[in-house]
Amino acid sequence: MEKAINLLVSLDQNYLPQLRVMLTSFFLNNPGAACRVYLLHSGIPGDALARLDADAARLGYTLCPVAVDDALFQGAPVTRQYPKEMYYRLLAAQLLPQDLDRALYLDPDTLVINPVQPLWQMDMQGCLFAAAAHTGKTELANNVNRLRLGTEQNYYNSGVLLIDLAHCRQEIVPDEIFAFVRARAPELLLPDQDVLNALYADRILELDDAVWNYDARNYSNYLVRSYGEADLPWVMQHTAVLHFCGKAKPWKPRYRHRFGVLYLHYMQLTDKILPSG
């Protein structure tokens, strides 16, 4: 097991402020952890990368930007609805340095509020990915997604992924992903997430979403399904990754969900710890 956590992110310049907040939360709640931040991108300007590199250095982290070569996507369906960036996390094994064995992917709209070492050190049992399913307030959405994609497993969220890069290099073929998207494009609602589930659901180790990928919109659902155990103190003590799923985001005006104020708190901490902005 590699000692340093290989933290993987993929985004454009618009999400750099949220990445800074996520990294600050990661730093504060994983004290002493060594971390290499791999940023898959296509065209983030050099000055923006330099500022992010300085931020990472302040946290004691190493930024490893990876500018993705468009040549890899010559055979891929790429449109406004299906940008090439949607493939990055699925093809991380091909894009990252070949000597890396695993990576932890986090969406930039997440907060890390407890240590991630138990996840990073988890035995993946030969699976390609470890991920959590958001079943929602009822099983309806989960069942619809199973029917829509022809799978038997839960519908996994792709915002938090532990990736076994070594196994993915052996089993994931980019052209197979591109062919699937080309054949099923009209049916795909969340393209990269749909591809993850349709092609690899049976190679995913299921995580507890209440701990590793907590949907910040669904506090009441978590509380009910845990028979009252997963209250706010429980979340603050046990949840490692809060995920602000959906179109409403806590850094935008009129965010109404419960954990928005916590996000604002981490935004303030970010400005104190990483004042360069």
Side-chain angles (χ1 to χ4, degrees):
M1 176 66 62
E2 299 181 47
K3 293 183 179 180
I5 296 173
N6 300 318
L7 182 61
L8 175 63
V9 293
S10 176
L11 45 88
D12 61 24
Q13 187 175 5
N14 294 326
Y15 260 90
L16 287 176
Q18 288 71 48
L19 175 59
R20 295 174 78 241
V21 175
M22 187 268 278
L23 289 177
T24 298
S25 71
F26 191 101
F27 168 77
L28 291 173
N29 292 293
N30 290 272
C35 182
R36 291 185 293 256
V37 183
Y38 288 90
L39 169 60
L40 299 177
H41 72 98
S42 57
I44 294 179
D47 57 345
L49 289 175
R51 289 193 295 271
L52 184 61
D53 183 68
D55 288 338
R58 285 190 184 94
L59 301 176
Y61 297 162
T62 302
L63 179 68
C64 306
V66 179
V68 179
D69 187 352
D70 285 349
L72 179 62
F73 303 97
Q74 288 181 353
V78 175
T79 66
R80 183 174 180 179
Q81 184 180 2
Y82 305 110
K84 59 182 178 296
E85 288 83 1
M86 81 174 200
Y87 300 106
Y88 288 1
R89 78 191 85 178
L90 297 177
L91 299 180
Q94 285 76 21
L95 299 173
L96 293 175
Q98 296 297 293
D99 60 343
L100 299 186
D101 290 331
R102 67 169 54 185
L104 174 60
Y105 172 86
L106 295 180
D107 269 354
D109 60 350
T110 57
L111 283 180
V112 178
I113 63 172
N114 275 301
V116 299
Q117 286 287 356
L119 176 60
W120 177 247
Q121 297 171 355
M122 182 176 291
D123 180 0
M124 294 184 66
Q125 303 172 29
C127 292
L128 301 180
F129 304 96
H134 290 157
T135 56
K137 295 182 179 180
T138 70
E139 276 293 296
L140 178 60
N142 206 31
N143 290 333
V144 167
N145 284 319
R146 286 193 192 107
L147 181 63
R148 182 170 61 86
L149 298 173
T151 63
E152 297 181 356
Q153 291 80 10
N154 284 329
Y155 184 77
Y156 296 104
N157 181 272
S158 60
V160 178
L161 293 174
L162 184 61
I163 307 173
D164 186 322
L165 298 170
H167 279 95
C168 284
R169 289 186 196 103
Q170 299 172 0
E171 298 188 33
I172 291 182
V173 179
D175 285 344
E176 292 179 357
I177 294 176
F178 303 155
F180 175 84
V181 174
R182 193 177 298 109
R184 301 284 295 274
E187 307 164 41
L188 303 183
L189 302 179
L190 299 169
D192 57 336
Q193 195 162 274
D194 281 354
V195 173
L196 174 73
N197 282 274
L199 296 183
Y200 308 114
D202 61 349
R203 303 287 282 113
I204 295 175
L205 177 67
E206 185 160 1
L207 302 174
D208 182 354
D209 61 319
V211 176
W212 300 116
N213 191 346
Y214 186 107
D215 187 335
R217 301 169 296 183
N218 287 343
Y219 171 78
S220 296
N221 178 46
Y222 288 109
L223 189 65
V224 169
R225 80 185 199 192
S226 67
Y227 300 99
E229 180 183 8
D231 56 9
L232 285 175
W234 186 96
V235 172
M236 296 308 297
Q237 184 177 359
H238 294 93
T239 296
V241 183
L242 275 176
H243 191 181
F244 294 89
C245 305
K247 293 182 179 179
K249 299 298 183 186
W251 57 88
K252 295 182 178 179
R254 295 182 293 279
Y255 184 79
R256 63 181 179 83
H257 298 292
R258 187 176 304 263
F259 295 100
V261 67
L262 183 61
Y263 193 90
L264 295 179
H265 175 63
Y266 275 96
M267 287 179 65
Q268 289 186 330
L269 291 174
T270 300
D271 289 339
K272 293 175 181 178
I273 296 173
L274 304 176
S276 65

